[in-house]
Amino acid sequence: MEFHHVPVMLRECMENLNIDPSGVYADGTLGGAGHSSEICRRLNQDGMLIGIDRDRDALQAAEGRLQEFSCQKIFVQSNYSDIKDILKDRNLPPLNGALLDLGVSSFQLDEPERGFSYMHDAPLDMRMNQQDNFSAWDVVNTYSEKELKQVISKYGEERWAARIAQFIVRARAEHPVESTGELVDIIKRAIPAASRREGPHPAKRTFQAIRIEVNDELGQLKRAVDAFCDVLAPGGRLAIITFHSLEDRIVKQAFQKRANPDQGILAGLPPELAGDAVKQADIRRITKKPITPSDEELEQNPRSRSAKLRVIEKL
């Protein structure tokens, strides 16, 4: 099984992580180890990579791919949002750097049976961790029409969410929706022809929404940004690549909050009363605006087109 992932903004990530050869680095979304290979290339025998992924296949493939490097390596099947427990359980030190690449790996998209892609007919799955019980089948076949509409509207930013939800409920009343192909057909019937002719594939937003719901991607991300900031050593850096506006907003706001703690509630309090309650900034933003892929990269890897990279440093 070839588990390959074209690493997005690889040069920009490496430059901004500012890697110390003997430091400890975590890749919270190990995938095909594209970014991790470059991190390991820069580490010496004292340096360490902690590779985290929910997907067991990804971990096994990455382990093989990273064998050639001399640094210490630890592989963990877990959610990246559990970084505090991962370090604590293994008695590991604070991190000198960490990377999160939030895109679905090319492998997951290109393996039809995983059910991530609207381009192949496959069982409705979309689980990043195949040991999880909850899948896209459950969302499509058990959520109420109102819940479906909310998921597709909120996570897919799909203007036809209400119609799509209505059509799904109508179709499954006859028999359960079992495959991605069936779901694509339902979505195409729900979206008026004029709207289908413009913009991306008509199923793209709905598939994104269901995938986010199945894997609790935004909930994980909210928990993870603060957790990773907490476990960085002073001077340590966190680089996060997002692929749509919902993710980018979460990262941007979390970074802003820690770089400029809100002291509004303390407005007007004399200093002696404010005391320790004034929260100090504990990070600084390395990137005020997100870094985006170069024209050259966009040409070579069209999947990178919506990527944004934001980086902070622990004070």
Side-chain angles (χ1 to χ4, degrees):
M1 173 173 21
E2 177 60 20
F3 203 115
H4 186 60
H5 180 58
V6 180
V8 172
M9 290 190 274
L10 184 60
R11 178 181 54 80
E12 294 88 341
C13 286
M14 295 307 116
E15 284 173 3
N16 279 282
L17 280 174
N18 205 11
I19 288 168
D20 169 5
S22 54
V24 180
Y25 291 83
D27 184 343
T29 48
L30 186 61
H35 289 105
S36 281
S37 295
E38 286 303 314
I39 293 172
C40 289
R41 205 182 302 283
R42 290 163 168 74
L43 295 176
N44 59 30
Q45 290 176 325
D46 297 323
M48 178 187 286
L49 174 83
I50 303 159
I52 304 162
D53 207 288
R54 297 167 77 166
D55 192 318
R56 193 168 50 190
D57 292 341
L59 285 167
Q60 287 173 346
E63 206 166 334
R65 190 169 176 193
L66 297 174
Q67 262 178 337
E68 60 177 293
F69 300 107
S70 62
C71 62
Q72 302 170 58
K73 295 173 283 285
I74 293 175
F75 298 96
V76 187
Q77 184 179 5
S78 184
N79 292 350
Y80 60 74
S81 56
D82 295 333
I83 185 64
K84 287 186 172 180
D85 290 336
I86 289 167
L87 298 183
K88 186 180 169 190
D89 293 349
R90 291 161 182 79
N91 203 22
L92 294 169
L95 301 175
N96 300 104
L99 173 74
L100 299 176
D101 171 3
L102 303 175
V104 183
S105 76
S106 304
F107 169 83
Q108 288 170 336
L109 284 172
D110 294 339
E111 282 289 302
E113 65 268 20
R114 298 295 295 271
F116 284 100
S117 174
Y118 43 80
M119 304 302 284
H120 307 285
D121 192 22
L124 273 174
D125 191 341
M126 302 195 198
R127 291 170 300 165
M128 289 181 175
N129 178 355
Q130 291 182 293
Q131 278 83 56
D132 288 345
N133 294 320
F134 185 68
S135 74
W137 190 96
D138 298 291
V139 175
V140 171
N141 289 293
T142 70
Y143 277 31
S144 69
E145 186 176 325
K146 184 183 175 187
E147 288 169 330
L148 281 168
K149 182 199 163 196
Q150 282 175 335
V151 167
I152 297 166
S153 172
K154 185 178 175 187
Y155 298 154
E157 299 177 297
E158 170 60 75
R159 61 186 281 221
W160 299 105
R163 268 177 71 88
I164 293 167
Q166 185 184 41
F167 276 57
I168 288 172
V169 170
R170 196 182 295 165
R172 77 186 191 199
E174 295 177 27
H175 60 81
V177 182
E178 299 287 354
S179 74
T180 54
E182 285 177 67
L183 182 58
V184 169
D185 288 341
I186 293 165
I187 294 165
K188 283 180 174 173
R189 290 200 300 274
I191 298 177
S195 295
R196 290 205 306 270
R197 283 194 288 271
E198 58 201 41
H201 190 286
K204 182 180 179 183
R205 294 176 190 277
T206 300
F207 269 62
Q208 171 185 296
I210 293 170
R211 189 200 81 221
I212 289 171
E213 176 71 8
V214 168
N215 298 289
D216 185 28
E217 290 176 38
L218 300 185
Q220 263 207 78
L221 179 58
K222 281 177 184 166
R223 294 187 291 275
V225 180
D226 277 325
F228 271 93
C229 288
D230 288 344
V231 298
L232 286 176
R237 291 190 173 187
L238 171 61
I240 303 182
I241 302 171
T242 61
F243 284 84
H244 55 77
S245 56
L246 297 167
E247 292 173 340
D248 185 55
R249 201 176 305 141
I250 288 170
V251 175
K252 179 184 176 183
Q253 288 173 351
F255 283 174
Q256 274 176 343
K257 198 171 166 188
R258 292 188 76 132
N260 307 295
D262 180 20
Q263 296 178 10
I265 53 166
L266 301 171
L269 280 181
E272 64 273 15
L273 288 179
D276 295 335
V278 179
K279 278 186 76 176
Q280 297 295 312
D282 65 347
I283 64 165
R284 71 181 181 98
R285 284 179 291 172
I286 300 298
T287 52
K288 293 288 189 284
K289 288 186 174 173
I291 299 170
T292 54
S294 64
D295 292 341
E296 186 186 358
E297 178 166 5
L298 289 171
E299 207 172 291
Q300 291 171 353
N301 181 16
R303 279 180 181 164
S304 70
R305 68 183 170 275
S306 54
K308 290 181 176 177
L309 169 65
R310 293 183 185 271
V311 187
I312 58 93
E313 183 178 281
K314 189 74 173 273
L315 296 175

